[in-house]
Amino acid sequence: MTQGFYLGLMSGTSLDGVDAVLADLSAAQPRVLACASLPYADALRAEILALQPVGDNELDRAARLAQQLARLYA
């Protein structure tokens, strides 16, 4: 049977960090192989929260934040 390993990453609305799961979806019953959580640094969490209200340079701040999150996810 073909291996069907998938890695999922997410951050929920609590903004506490990044959650990851490695799952095998090759069988009829999915199986979680591993999971991990990495908390956000306080400064990063503050930057995310600062984007919620309307503010200056939102597009620039959002783009820079997206780059930081992409590096963290990687």
Side-chain angles (χ1 to χ4, degrees):
M1 180 173 268
T2 303
Q3 296 282 329
F5 295 145
Y6 292 86
L7 179 64
L9 298 171
M10 71 164 287
S11 175
T13 57
S14 65
L15 297 177
D16 58 349
V18 178
D19 297 317
V21 64
L22 177 63
D24 181 358
L25 304 180
S26 63
Q29 182 67 33
R31 223 170 27 113
V32 173
L33 303 175
C35 58
S37 292
L38 178 65
Y40 287 142
D42 291 339
L44 180 60
R45 186 172 189 273
E47 288 183 51
I48 296 169
L49 290 171
L51 280 175
Q52 289 181 341
V54 176
D56 295 331
N57 300 320
E58 287 176 346
L59 291 177
D60 180 62
R61 290 186 297 133
R64 291 175 190 272
L65 182 58
Q67 291 174 3
Q68 289 181 46
L69 289 172
R71 283 191 291 273
L72 184 64
Y73 290 172

